[in-house]
Amino acid sequence: MKIAILAGGSGTRLWPRSRSRRPKQFLDLAIPNQSLLQETVERIRPLVSVEDVLIVTSRDFVRQTARQLPDVPKANILGEPYGRGSAPAIGWAAATIMRRWGNETMVSLHADHHIARPDLLRQALVAAARVAAQGHIVTLGVVPPRPHTGLGHVQRGQLLGQFDGFSAFTIARFVEKPDYERARQYTDSGEYYWNTGMFVWQTQTILQEIDAYMPQLSAALAALQATIGTRLERRTIARLWRDLPVQQIDYGVMEHTRIGAVIPVEGLGWNDVGDWDSLADIRKADEHGNIIAAEFEGIDTSGCIIIGSGRRLISTIGLKDMVVVATDDAVLVCPRRRDQEVRSLVERLRLANKEKYL
Amino acid sequence: MKIAILAGGSGTRLWPRSRSRRPKQFLDLAIPNQSLLQETVERIRPLVSVEDVLIVTSRDFVRQTARQLPDVPKANILGEPYGRGSAPAIGWAAATIMRRWGNETMVSLHADHHIARPDLLRQALVAAARVAAQGHIVTLGVVPPRPHTGLGHVQRGQLLGQFDGFSAFTIARFVEKPDYERARQYTDSGEYYWNTGMFVWQTQTILQEIDAYMPQLSAALAALQATIGTRLERRTIARLWRDLPVQQIDYGVMEHTRIGAVIPVEGLGWNDVGDWDSLADIRKADEHGNIIAAEFEGIDTSGCIIIGSGRRLISTIGLKDMVVVATDDAVLVCPRRRDQEVRSLVERLRLANKEKYL
C-alpha cells in the first residue's frame, strides 16, 4: 500500500492563523504541537513505512513539509509548480507510484483534515484496499452525525458486499453542498454520506479512469512518465502543469466512473477543519463552553473560540459565542455564526493592497 | 507664573495600551503622535517658558518624561521615590518654586487630561491668577455639558467677582462621584461643576494651607526645604516620602480651606481620558461611528473603539459598540458599556501572576 497525501491547499477561512505562506495543514489546529499534516502522517504510520508515503504540495511548501516531516524521504515530497486541483496532484502521485513500484494499492488523503478515531480509519482503509483489489475506485463516506450544508454528499447504490466488517456499495451519485432542508433529508435517509475526499484504488485503475475521462491530464501524465525520478522531471512538470486547467478528481473522474464504490464509516470523528467554528467539534471546551488555545484571561465569557499565538495574551469581558484570533501581526474578532465571512474579509484585504497580512 | 504638572499616575482602565511601566500620560491617546503629557506642555507653552514648568512624576518615569520633553530642563523633572498622592507631589513642587524663585503664582495641572480648547484654558488660568493674587486657592470647574457619574463635583458659593470675563465664586462644598440621578440634578442646577483637579494659587498660600491642614506633610516639606537643589535632596526625599501617607490635595486641603474659589469654564472640552469609552468624546468617529487608531479592516462594524499599535492589523466582522485593543503582547475585547471592568481584569491578571502583561 502506498499513500499520497495532498498538502497543497491554501484556504482563507482560518485566517489570520492560516496564511498564504503557511496554510492550515502546517498549523496545529486540532492537536497542540502537531500540525494537521503531521497528524495525517501519524495516523497512517501503523499501516505503511514512511518510504511509502508521498506528499504532493506546492513547490513553495516543499521546505515546510520537509521540516515538519523529517523522516519522510525528500524524494517523496512532490512540489507542484502551479496548483491545478486534486486531479493533477493525484495523477502525478499515481504516475510516480507506477514508475517506482509498479501497480499498487494507492490511498489518497488530504493533509488538512482531523480524524478523532485514526484506528477506525486504518481499519476502513484496509477494507477499502480489498474492494479496490476487485477493480473499484473506492471512497470513504462518513455516516453523517448531523446535517451539514458545507459538504458534498455521496449517495450509495447496490451493496457490493462485506469487507472486514465494513459494507461496500456502488455509488448512485455525488451531490453538491445541499441546503439545510436537503441536508437533513440526506441525514435521515441513511443513504447519503459526507464526501471526505479520501480514496483507495489500484494505481493502474485510477490511471485508466483518468485516461477515460480526463484525456488532457492523461496526456500530460504520459509525457511526464519517462522523466519521473530524473533531472528532467522538474522542468517537464513546470511546462505541462502551466497549461493544465484546474480540475478536481471528484468532478473529473468520480462523477463519471462506473466502477466507483463507497464504504460508509460511522463514528470516525472526521472533520475538514473548514472554519473557526469547526474547532468546537474537535477541541474540548472548558466549563464555560470556551475553546481556548491561547494565553487567556476572561470575565463573563462563554461559548467563544479563542486562538492565540506565542505568549500573546487574549483578554475578554462579556463575550458570548465569538471568535477571537490573535497572531503576531493580525487580530480577528467576529461572531461564530458569521465566521464564513472571514473569506470576504480576506478578499477585502487583497483588494486594499494589504497582502502582507494574508 | 510657574506651572507644576503631575505626571506620576498609573491607572489600569486603559489597559492594555496603558501599562504599569508606560501609563496613559505617555501615550498618544487623544492626538496622534502626541502623548497626553506632551499635549499638556504644548497647551501652556504660550503662557510660560519651559524653564518655568516643573514635572512631578515617579522616579521610574523620569527618563520617559525627559525623552518626551527634551526642552524641559532636567532639573525641572522631580522624580518621587514613592507615589504618595497629589498632596505631597504638589507640596514638593511648591517648595521647589519657593526655594528657586520665591513666592509666585503657581498652577497645578494633571498630565493625563485632554482639553479641546487650550486657548480657553489659558484665558481661564490668567483670570485665575488674578483671583489667586487676592489670596485665594482657585480651582477650575467645568460647566457640565452632561451628567457624569465618574467625577467629583464642586458646588459654588458666593460670587467673588468678574475676572477677565470669567466669574469667580467661593466654594460651597466638594462632593464625591454622584449616582446618575444626583449627577443629573447637579447638571440642571447650574451650581455644580466637574472637579478637574486644576488649581491656581500663590506658592506661599498653598504652603500655608498645607501647614494648617496637613501638618505631617508640612513638616516633611520643612525638612526638605534646605536640601532642594542640593545633592542631599534625593536622599532626603527618599527618607521623608517613605513615611508619608497617600493623600490627595482635594481631601487634604481643598475640603477644609476657607479661602477656596472656583472659576467655572464652559466649552473647554475637558476630558480626563479615564476609560476607553471616553475616547468617543475626544476622537472623531468615522461614518460608521467607529473610533479607529489602528490598521483596520472591518465588515459590518459600527460604534466601536479600535486601538492598535504599530502595524498590527485589527479586523472585525459584525461588531457593534465594542472596544478592541491590540498591543504587542495583549489583546482586549469588550463591550464599550463594560469598559469599567477592565480594572477587574487587570486585578485578575495580577492575582494570576501575569504581571508581565500589566
Side-chain angles (χ1 to χ4, degrees):
Chain A
M1 183 184 278
K2 310 296 174 187
I3 297 187
I5 297 176
L6 309 187
S10 58
T12 56
R13 280 176 302 167
L14 289 165
W15 183 89
R17 272 304 311 279
S18 167
R19 305 296 280 255
S20 58
R21 293 185 184 182
R22 196 173 180 76
K24 67 170 173 161
Q25 59 268 33
F26 299 109
L27 305 175
D28 61 340
L29 290 165
I31 300 174
N33 301 314
Q34 189 174 59
S35 75
L36 293 172
L37 170 63
Q38 289 171 326
E39 200 188 319
T40 303
V41 171
E42 287 310 308
R43 198 180 289 143
I44 44 91
R45 236 180 239 277
L47 279 184
V48 295
S49 140
V50 286
E51 316 287 326
D52 298 327
V53 175
L54 297 177
I55 317 284
V56 191
T57 186
S58 157
R59 203 170 265 179
D60 297 337
F61 302 150
V62 166
R63 270 205 197 168
Q64 284 188 74
T65 302
R67 229 178 358 242
Q68 291 205 347
L69 303 172
D71 65 348
V72 169
K74 292 261 189 304
N76 286 18
I77 302 175
L78 311 184
E80 294 184 288
Y82 311 96
R84 291 296 183 240
S86 60
I90 285 172
W92 189 12
T96 301
I97 290 168
M98 202 61 169
R99 172 106 187 158
R100 232 192 253 180
W101 296 286
N103 190 31
E104 288 272 353
T105 300
M106 172 177 172
V107 173
S108 178
L109 303 174
H110 288 280
D112 55 355
H113 296 170
H114 172 71
I115 287 173
R117 290 277 312 276
D119 55 322
L120 191 53
L121 176 78
R122 290 189 294 268
Q123 291 169 29
L125 289 177
V126 168
R130 288 187 52 206
V131 181
Q134 299 188 359
H136 286 286
I137 290 200
V138 188
T139 183
L140 299 189
V142 162
V143 178
R146 58 183 171 80
H148 199 311
T149 59
L151 293 171
H153 288 61
V154 192
Q155 186 185 11
R156 76 182 184 205
Q158 308 294 320
L159 181 70
L160 285 168
Q162 296 291 326
F163 299 81
D164 302 333
F166 291 89
S167 303
F169 298 90
T170 60
I171 290 172
R173 59 175 185 136
F174 282 85
V175 292
E176 294 284 309
K177 299 177 184 179
D179 57 26
Y180 185 81
E181 187 45 38
R182 214 161 290 207
R184 210 184 46 71
Q185 286 166 14
Y186 291 169
T187 304
D188 291 350
S189 75
E191 286 183 16
Y192 288 82
Y193 312 110
W194 292 348
N195 181 8
T196 64
M198 295 190 283
F199 300 106
V200 185
W201 45 53
Q202 301 248 328
T203 332
Q204 214 156 44
T205 315
I206 186 67
L207 288 173
Q208 276 163 11
E209 293 301 280
I210 288 174
D211 191 49
Y213 304 109
M214 306 183 76
Q216 190 184 353
L217 175 58
S218 187
L221 294 178
L224 184 65
Q225 189 72 29
T227 72
I228 287 175
T230 74
R231 297 189 331 182
L232 283 174
E233 185 176 11
R234 189 183 162 94
R235 199 191 308 161
T236 308
I237 203 147
R239 180 171 52 77
L240 294 167
W241 255 230
R242 194 186 53 217
D243 298 332
L244 281 181
V246 172
Q247 285 180 291
Q248 309 306 333
I249 200 76
D250 306 63
Y251 306 112
V253 170
M254 296 308 294
E255 290 195 354
H256 306 290
T257 186
R258 292 177 197 147
I259 56 174
V262 58
I263 291 185
V265 190
E266 194 156 5
L268 194 55
W270 176 87
N271 193 301
D272 70 344
V273 198
D275 46 44
W276 286 116
D277 204 40
S278 71
L279 293 192
D281 290 329
I282 298 174
R283 301 185 77 135
K284 210 171 128 48
D286 70 8
E287 71 269 32
H288 306 291
N290 298 314
I291 313 282
I292 296 168
E295 276 279 340
F296 175 71
E297 194 69 42
I299 291 178
D300 186 22
T301 295
S302 63
C304 290
I305 295 173
I306 310 275
I307 311 288
S309 73
R311 315 210 54 166
R312 175 156 308 108
L313 175 75
I314 299 180
S315 53
T316 60
I317 298 170
L319 291 201
K320 192 165 160 46
D321 299 336
M322 301 281 288
V323 175
V324 182
V325 185
T327 69
D328 283 353
D329 62 350
V331 172
L332 167 73
V333 184
C334 84
R336 275 174 63 172
R337 65 187 164 75
R338 294 186 68 169
D339 73 342
Q340 299 305 305
E341 292 173 59
V342 172
R343 186 177 273 169
S344 318
L345 194 65
V346 166
E347 194 45 40
R348 278 202 196 198
L349 289 169
R350 200 184 312 280
L351 294 173
N353 276 317
K354 292 182 181 169
E355 274 95 351
K356 67 178 169 186
Y357 297 113
L358 302 184
Chain B
M1 183 184 279
K2 310 294 174 189
I3 297 186
I5 297 175
L6 309 187
S10 59
T12 56
R13 280 176 302 167
L14 290 166
W15 183 87
R17 272 303 312 279
S18 167
R19 305 297 280 253
S20 58
R21 293 184 183 184
R22 195 171 179 78
K24 67 170 173 161
Q25 59 269 29
F26 300 109
L27 304 176
D28 61 341
L29 290 165
I31 300 174
N33 301 314
Q34 191 174 59
S35 74
L36 293 171
L37 170 63
Q38 288 171 325
E39 200 189 318
T40 303
V41 171
E42 287 310 308
R43 198 180 290 143
I44 45 89
R45 236 177 239 278
L47 278 183
V48 296
S49 140
V50 285
E51 315 288 325
D52 298 328
V53 176
L54 297 177
I55 317 285
V56 191
T57 187
S58 158
R59 204 171 264 179
D60 296 337
F61 302 150
V62 166
R63 270 204 197 169
Q64 284 189 72
T65 302
R67 225 173 6 237
Q68 290 205 348
L69 304 172
D71 65 347
V72 168
K74 293 262 187 303
N76 286 18
I77 303 174
L78 311 184
E80 293 184 287
Y82 311 97
R84 290 298 184 237
S86 60
I90 285 170
W92 189 10
T96 301
I97 290 167
M98 202 62 169
R99 173 102 186 164
R100 232 191 253 181
W101 296 288
N103 191 31
E104 288 272 354
T105 300
M106 172 177 170
V107 173
S108 178
L109 303 173
H110 288 281
D112 55 353
H113 296 169
H114 171 71
I115 287 173
R117 288 279 313 275
D119 55 323
L120 190 55
L121 175 78
R122 291 190 292 269
Q123 291 169 28
L125 289 176
V126 169
R130 289 187 52 208
V131 181
Q134 299 187 1
H136 286 285
I137 289 199
V138 188
T139 184
L140 299 189
V142 161
V143 178
R146 57 182 171 83
H148 198 311
T149 59
L151 294 171
H153 289 62
V154 192
Q155 186 184 14
R156 76 180 186 208
Q158 308 293 322
L159 182 69
L160 286 168
Q162 296 289 328
F163 299 81
D164 301 333
F166 292 86
S167 304
F169 299 88
T170 60
I171 290 171
R173 60 176 186 137
F174 282 85
V175 291
E176 293 283 311
K177 298 175 185 181
D179 58 26
Y180 186 81
E181 187 44 38
R182 214 162 289 206
R184 209 185 47 70
Q185 286 167 14
Y186 291 169
T187 304
D188 291 350
S189 76
E191 283 184 17
Y192 287 82
Y193 312 111
W194 290 348
N195 180 8
T196 64
M198 297 190 281
F199 299 107
V200 185
W201 44 54
Q202 302 249 327
T203 332
Q204 214 154 48
T205 315
I206 187 64
L207 287 172
Q208 276 164 11
E209 294 300 282
I210 287 173
D211 191 49
Y213 303 110
M214 305 183 76
Q216 190 184 352
L217 175 57
S218 186
L221 294 176
L224 183 65
Q225 189 73 31
T227 73
I228 287 177
T230 75
R231 296 190 330 183
L232 283 174
E233 185 175 13
R234 190 183 161 93
R235 198 190 311 163
T236 308
I237 203 146
R239 179 170 53 77
L240 294 167
W241 255 231
R242 195 186 52 217
D243 298 332
L244 280 181
V246 172
Q247 285 181 291
Q248 309 306 333
I249 200 76
D250 307 63
Y251 306 111
V253 170
M254 296 308 294
E255 291 196 351
H256 306 288
T257 185
R258 294 180 196 144
I259 55 175
V262 58
I263 290 184
V265 190
E266 194 156 6
L268 194 54
W270 176 87
N271 193 302
D272 70 344
V273 198
D275 47 42
W276 286 117
D277 204 40
S278 71
L279 293 193
D281 291 328
I282 298 173
R283 299 185 78 136
K284 211 170 129 44
D286 70 8
E287 69 271 32
H288 307 290
N290 298 314
I291 312 282
I292 296 168
E295 275 280 340
F296 175 71
E297 194 69 41
I299 291 178
D300 185 23
T301 294
S302 62
C304 290
I305 295 172
I306 311 276
I307 310 289
S309 73
R311 314 211 55 168
R312 175 157 306 108
L313 174 76
I314 299 179
S315 54
T316 61
I317 298 170
L319 290 200
K320 192 164 159 49
D321 299 335
M322 301 282 288
V323 176
V324 182
V325 185
T327 70
D328 283 352
D329 63 350
V331 172
L332 167 72
V333 185
C334 84
R336 275 173 63 173
R337 64 186 165 74
R338 295 186 70 169
D339 73 342
Q340 299 306 303
E341 293 173 58
V342 172
R343 186 178 274 169
S344 318
L345 192 66
V346 166
E347 195 45 42
R348 279 202 195 199
L349 289 169
R350 201 185 311 279
L351 294 172
N353 276 318
K354 294 184 180 169
E355 275 95 353
K356 66 178 169 183
Y357 297 114
L358 303 184

